[in-house]
Amino acid sequence: MNLHGIKAIYRFELARWFRTLAQSILAPVISTSLYFVVFGSAIGSRMQAIDGVSYGAFIIPGLVMLSLLSESISNAAFGIYMPKWAGTIYELLSAPVSWIETVIGYVGAAATKSVLLGLLILATARIFVPFEIAHPFVMALFLVLTAVTFSLFGFVIGVWADNFQKLQIVPALIITPLTFLGGSFYSISMLPPIWQKITLFNPVVYLISGFRWSFYGVSDVGVGVSLAMTCVFLALCLTAVWWIFRTGYRLKS
C-alpha cells in the first residue's frame, strides 16, 4: 500500500477544500440554517409532534442527509473531474499508485469533508432546535457509511462527466428530489397507502429512516433494512469504480 501516494492525494483535496471555505462550508450551513428557521421555528411551532418528536427536531436528520448527499457527490465528482479537465490525469495514471490507493485518497478526502460538514450542521441545529441522539454510535456509522458511499457515487459521476454541466445534473435533478421525497420533512406513514409502497423504491428513504432512528428510535423502515440497503449501494459503487479502472472508461481518452 503506497501510503505516501494516498496521503498526497488526500492532503491535496483537503487543501483545495480549505481554499473555498465560503462555498464549501458557509453556503451549506447558511442554507440549512434557513430551513431550521422556516420549517423548524416558524412552521414547526404550529405543527403536531410526529411519533412523539417535535417537528423541528424531526426534520434534523433529513436536513443533515440532504447536505451530506449533495456535498459528498459534488466534492468527489469535482475532485476527479479537474485532473481530467486539466489533462493531469495521465500523471496520476502513470504514477506508482494503484486504483485502490487513488480511490482511497479522493473518496477519503470527499467523505472527510462531508462528515465534518454534517457534524457542523448538527452543531448549528442545536442553536435552533433542542434534540438528543439516542444511539450516537449508530448515528456515526450511518454518517460515515453514507458519506463514503455517495463519495464513491460522486467519483463515478466525475469520471462519467465530460463537461461542468454534467457534474450538476445528477445532484440537482435526481439526488435532491429523491431526498425531498424520501421523508426529509415528513414520515412516510403520513402518505396514502399506495404512495407508501411507491416511496419504498426510493433508496434515499432507507438512509434517512436509519439515520432518524439513531436520533429518536423511530423510523419508517427497520434499521437493519436501512443498513443493508446502504451496504448494497456501497458495493454497487465499488463495483462501478473497479470497472472504470479495469477498462479505463473515460480516463484514458
Side-chain angles (χ1 to χ4, degrees):
M1 185 68 70
N2 187 347
L3 297 180
H4 292 289
I6 295 174
K7 183 179 178 180
I9 297 173
Y10 183 85
R11 292 182 62 182
F12 177 81
E13 284 300 298
L14 284 185
R16 180 177 61 80
W17 186 58
F18 283 113
R19 288 195 298 268
T20 59
L21 286 180
Q23 178 183 353
S24 304
I25 295 181
L26 290 181
V29 170
I30 291 175
S31 61
T32 306
S33 299
L34 293 176
Y35 281 115
F36 286 128
V37 171
V38 175
F39 291 95
S41 300
I43 298 177
S45 60
R46 301 174 180 269
M47 296 190 65
Q48 297 180 349
I50 302 177
D51 295 328
V53 182
S54 67
Y55 185 74
F58 184 84
I59 66 174
I60 288 175
L63 290 177
V64 173
M65 275 293 168
L66 178 62
S67 297
L68 191 71
L69 299 185
S70 59
E71 289 300 314
S72 296
I73 293 174
S74 298
N75 287 326
F78 192 80
I80 190 61
Y81 177 78
M82 285 306 296
K84 289 176 51 187
W85 178 77
T88 57
I89 188 69
Y90 300 107
E91 298 177 7
L92 178 65
L93 294 175
S94 61
V97 181
S98 69
W99 73 271
I100 296 178
E101 295 156 355
T102 302
V103 171
I104 291 175
Y106 279 106
V107 172
T112 299
K113 303 171 194 177
S114 301
V115 169
L116 291 176
L117 179 61
L119 295 176
L120 184 59
I121 291 175
L122 283 177
T124 305
R126 294 285 297 183
I127 300 174
F128 302 97
V129 182
F131 67 91
E132 300 294 336
I133 302 176
H135 308 280
F137 292 106
V138 178
M139 186 277 290
L141 177 63
F142 268 104
L143 193 69
V144 173
L145 270 180
T146 304
V148 172
T149 300
F150 279 82
S151 293
L152 282 167
F153 186 48
F155 189 92
V156 174
I157 293 174
V159 173
W160 164 76
D162 53 14
N163 55 57
F164 285 98
Q165 288 74 22
K166 286 187 177 180
L167 289 177
Q168 302 299 325
I169 289 178
V170 175
L173 298 183
I174 298 179
I175 299 301
T176 299
L178 287 179
T179 306
F180 275 97
L181 297 174
S184 297
F185 298 99
Y186 56 87
S187 173
I188 295 176
S189 60
M190 301 168 66
L191 298 174
I194 183 63
W195 284 106
Q196 292 183 30
K197 293 181 174 61
I198 294 174
T199 303
L200 293 178
F201 290 96
N202 180 354
V204 180
V205 166
Y206 302 93
L207 301 175
I208 296 176
S209 180
F211 196 55
R212 183 172 286 130
W213 181 88
S214 69
F215 280 75
Y216 312 118
V218 297
S219 62
D220 296 309
V221 183
V223 63
V225 177
S226 298
L227 186 60
M229 291 296 292
T230 305
C231 292
V232 167
F233 192 48
L234 174 62
L236 291 175
C237 291
L238 281 173
T239 303
V241 171
W242 170 83
W243 179 82
I244 285 172
F245 280 93
R246 170 78 174 174
T247 61
Y249 173 75
R250 294 203 173 182
L251 289 178
K252 300 178 180 179
S253 61

